[in-house]
Amino acid sequence: MSLGRVFVAGHRGMVGSAIVRRLEQGGDATEILTARREELDLTDQRATFAWLEEHRPDVVIIAAAKVGGIHANDTYRADFIYQNLAIETNLIHGSHLAGIQRILFLGSSCIYPKMAPQPMSEDYLLTGPLEPTNEPYAIAKIAGIKMCESYNIQHGTDYRSVMPTNLYGIGDNYHPENSHVIPGLIRRFHEAKLNGDESVTVWGTGNVRREFLFADDLADACVFLMNIPRDEFWSKVDMRCSHVNVGYGEDVTIRELAELIKGAVGFEGEVEFDQLRPDGSPQKMLNSAVINGLGWSPTTKIGKGLDLATKEFIERVCLV
């Protein structure tokens, strides 16, 4: 089944670039449309509406977002809620106005309550308070899910949403302050190795548990879900709880993760933990029974994924 002409919004990011690679490798699109930020500002409503009206792709994949780790989410709260709301509302409503019937919206596992039972299934959404440090980002993503659902119910569109667990992989953001945990630790362990440091300090107690998925596996899941025919998909997914979790199926403590990254980088010093820094949610693991039941599961083990990410970091970032 061909998806036709596919617009990947956010194609230069880690997730967007992985989706482009997957579409190219699998031949699932007759044409892949992209637009650089200099060509199209997705927070600009008029420009986004005009672009969609002119190009009219068959499918819009919304991988564009402002993302970051705990520090960035808690520091730039207004930026996170405004930019993400603007991007998704412009793309979803603009697609509707242009007559585009198919969208895939990418969210985040932070949409679920901080103290949600583990693993988190799709129907836990809006059942309790969110994690305070990333609440603005989570609210924006929840709005995107509910916007897709509302357009489906009112207008008969086929707008689907996926909620990935914590992601890492090729093309990640390795900013020293605003990155997520895996790229942040890869950079710090690598720099400590080069500097001959005796130790690396990690935020928090190291006891919280997180699930991590390689971005190329998420891309495969996205294409898999969009290739399911409309009637078959909606016969198995509740239109009023329509997002689908995409997880790895196992989690690790941050302490265990740090040791894995230390090994991938080749750092020989000690790992220390700053317990005065925030941990965030005690555990975040998705229940991926829905997508597993549809026939998809990830293939990249975390050890292999960390090796690939570390190799790409050294080749791409360290040589710049």
Side-chain angles (χ1 to χ4, degrees):
M1 174 180 175
S2 173
L3 299 178
R5 300 171 67 247
V6 179
F7 172 41
V8 181
H11 74 287
R12 299 181 70 185
M14 177 179 67
V15 173
S17 61
I19 291 172
V20 169
R21 284 196 298 274
R22 174 60 182 80
L23 289 170
E24 290 174 339
Q25 292 166 1
D28 296 273
T30 57
E31 183 181 1
I32 301 171
L33 304 176
T34 60
R36 292 174 176 265
R37 187 173 301 175
E38 311 86 74
E39 302 168 329
L40 175 60
D41 178 1
L42 294 172
T43 66
D44 183 328
Q45 184 185 79
R46 181 177 298 178
T48 303
F49 284 8
W51 193 97
L52 291 167
E53 178 66 29
E54 178 185 353
H55 293 86
R56 291 178 180 256
D58 298 299
V59 175
V60 173
I61 297 180
I62 305 177
K66 181 173 179 61
V67 299
I70 290 178
H71 173 80
N73 272 273
D74 203 24
T75 303
Y76 309 111
R77 298 173 73 86
D79 295 347
F80 271 81
I81 194 165
Y82 167 71
Q83 291 186 33
N84 284 296
L85 282 171
I87 290 168
E88 65 201 33
T89 55
N90 290 343
L91 285 168
I92 295 169
H93 189 59
S95 293
H96 167 65
L97 293 177
I100 299 164
Q101 292 294 302
R102 306 195 69 202
I103 285 177
L104 183 69
F105 172 70
L106 283 94
S108 165
S109 60
C110 71
I111 63 170
Y112 293 113
K114 177 177 180 177
M115 303 305 293
Q118 301 293 318
M120 299 177 289
S121 61
E122 287 86 352
D123 58 4
Y124 291 169
L125 182 64
L126 298 176
T127 60
L130 300 164
E131 159 59 39
T133 56
N134 59 15
E135 184 181 65
Y137 178 72
I139 288 173
K141 289 299 181 181
I142 292 169
I145 297 168
K146 292 303 178 183
M147 196 171 181
C148 288
E149 289 178 3
S150 299
Y151 278 66
N152 289 338
I153 294 168
Q154 182 174 342
H155 298 296
T157 50
D158 185 10
Y159 294 173
R160 308 177 186 184
S161 300
V162 295
M163 297 302 114
T165 191
N166 300 289
L167 299 169
Y168 69 102
I170 307 303
D172 212 337
N173 170 27
Y174 292 92
H175 190 279
E177 294 181 352
N178 297 333
S179 60
H180 286 107
V181 59
I182 285 182
L185 288 179
I186 288 175
R187 180 174 189 134
R188 287 165 61 194
F189 276 114
H190 179 72
E191 291 177 346
K193 176 183 176 181
L194 294 181
N195 295 333
D197 295 340
E198 295 182 357
S199 66
V200 168
T201 300
V202 179
W203 277 27
T205 63
N207 297 326
V208 299
R209 304 189 69 86
R210 292 291 182 269
E211 179 186 31
F212 298 96
L213 180 71
F214 196 58
D216 286 75
D217 279 351
L218 171 63
D220 186 63
C222 290
V223 175
F224 171 84
L225 286 172
M226 292 306 287
N227 272 317
I228 298 175
R230 178 179 182 140
D231 290 346
E232 180 183 348
F233 181 85
W234 292 112
S235 71
K236 297 177 181 178
V237 176
D238 182 354
M239 192 167 284
R240 293 181 182 269
C241 183
S242 63
H243 57 288
V244 177
N245 288 340
V246 183
Y248 178 64
E250 300 176 15
D251 61 3
V252 295
T253 67
I254 296 300
R255 187 180 299 274
E256 291 168 337
L257 176 69
E259 291 293 337
L260 286 169
I261 295 174
K262 171 184 170 180
V265 171
F267 176 67
E268 297 182 354
E270 299 297 320
V271 182
E272 299 177 349
F273 293 86
D274 183 354
Q275 300 190 30
L276 297 178
R277 297 289 189 172
D279 266 334
S281 301
Q283 185 179 24
K284 284 175 61 178
M285 184 170 175
L286 295 181
N287 182 334
S288 299
V290 172
I291 192 169
N292 296 157
L294 290 168
W296 182 89
S297 59
T299 59
T300 307
K301 300 295 184 183
I302 189 168
K304 177 183 177 182
L306 290 174
D307 286 342
L308 291 170
T310 299
K311 182 175 184 292
E312 192 258 349
F313 164 73
I314 294 171
E315 292 176 349
R316 176 174 64 88
V317 181
C318 296
L319 296 180
V320 174

